[in-house]
């Protein structure tokens, strides 16, 4: 197996955070191929850290669903699983409208401004991994505003599980997909400012369907 050269992430307060951010950006940005085996010793050598922070970072990434840890093969990126993708997006299509309708009634102007700030950062971001992370945070603003902790936790799990696939959906058509996503994000912010719940729901469902269609084309 060929070892992929990791691009170190930004300096962090701890070795654990440094390894975690470096690996997360590499996974979300598509620098590591699906199914890639993450060898602790290789990662530690490349990033010039001990094994301990690498082990801790891999455990955290597994908790987010970005990788899986096999008792015999160790840590590996998940393979592309179209059935899993369909299930994730089917569940999101059912739950996101519930969350959006709740959020429209409760969201503050400050929270809408936060979402708009994240959208603007995404427009200027060239790193695919960072773009995917900003995208996740953008959508989390609205589910957090719904004031339903259990629903928010379920949606967070689904978005974490979808994060790798969101990055994958950009491949080959990144400029067009990012432009399409920015249009949806801009319209979603506008709908929330106007407190137009059904318009916001329609935008989110269109947004989800576009990502799913892009992934279907890769299958």
């Amino acid at each position: 197996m060929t070892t992929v050269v990791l691009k170190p992430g930004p300096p962090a307060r701890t070795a654990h955070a440094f390894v975690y951010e470096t690996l997360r950006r590499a996974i979300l940005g598509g620098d590591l191929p699906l199914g890639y085996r993450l060898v602790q010793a290789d990662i530690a050598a490349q990033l010039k850290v001990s094994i301990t922070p690498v082990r801790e970072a891999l455990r955290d990434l597994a908790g987010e669903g970005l990788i899986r840890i096999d008792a015999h093969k160790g840590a590996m990126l998940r393979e592309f699983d179209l059935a899993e993708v369909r299930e994730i997006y089917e569940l999101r299509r059912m739950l996101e409208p519930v969350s959006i309708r709740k959020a429209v009634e409760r969201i503050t102007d400050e929270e809408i401004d936060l979402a708009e700030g994240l959208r603007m950062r995404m427009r200027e971001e060239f790193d695919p991994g960072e773009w995917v992370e900003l995208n996740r945070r953008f959508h989390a603003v609205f589910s957090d505003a719904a004031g339903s902790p259990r629903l928010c936790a379920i949606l967070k799990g689904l978005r974490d599980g979808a994060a790798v696939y969101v990055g994958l959906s950009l491949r080959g058509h990144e400029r067009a997909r990012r432009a399409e996503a920015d249009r949806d994000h801009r319209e979603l912010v506008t709908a929330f400012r106007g407190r137009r719940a059904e318009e916001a729901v329609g935008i989110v469902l269109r947004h989800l369907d576009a990502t799913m269609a892009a992934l279907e084309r890769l299958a």
Side-chain angles (χ1 to χ4, degrees), residues 70-204:
D70 184 277
H72 303 290
K73 297 180 180 179
M76 302 179 66
L77 266 68
R78 290 155 35 196
E79 300 280 359
F80 180 67
D81 186 336
L82 186 57
E84 178 186 51
V85 176
R86 286 172 173 159
E87 182 179 29
I88 288 173
Y89 278 86
E90 181 181 2
L91 290 169
R92 288 188 66 184
R93 283 189 112 266
M94 290 189 290
L95 296 176
E96 293 277 10
V98 178
S99 179
I100 291 293
R101 292 185 181 106
K102 287 176 176 287
V104 164
E105 296 177 358
R106 302 171 59 96
I107 197 164
T108 65
D109 289 340
E110 289 75 18
E111 287 170 318
I112 297 174
D113 289 343
L114 173 60
E116 175 64 8
L118 290 166
R119 184 185 79 82
M120 295 302 294
R121 286 178 60 187
M122 290 173 71
R123 293 187 64 188
E124 305 299 324
E125 182 56 62
F126 294 102
D127 182 89
E130 184 62 21
W131 187 92
V132 172
E133 172 60 17
L134 290 169
N135 179 69
R136 188 188 65 80
R137 289 169 56 189
F138 172 86
H139 289 286
V141 171
F142 301 113
S143 56
D144 289 346
S148 181
R150 185 162 296 187
L151 177 59
C152 183
I154 293 170
L155 284 171
K156 180 182 182 301
L158 291 171
R159 289 197 194 105
D160 286 347
V164 171
Y165 296 123
V166 171
L168 186 63
S169 75
L170 299 176
R171 295 183 187 177
H173 305 280
E174 183 173 348
R175 180 175 295 180
R177 288 282 298 123
R178 285 181 55 156
E180 182 179 57
D182 182 60
R183 178 205 65 195
D184 289 347
H185 293 165
R186 183 179 66 252
E187 292 181 4
L188 186 60
V189 169
T190 300
F192 264 92
R193 287 201 189 279
R195 302 305 195 270
R196 298 188 294 273
E198 296 312 309
E199 181 181 332
V201 166
I203 294 165
V204 167

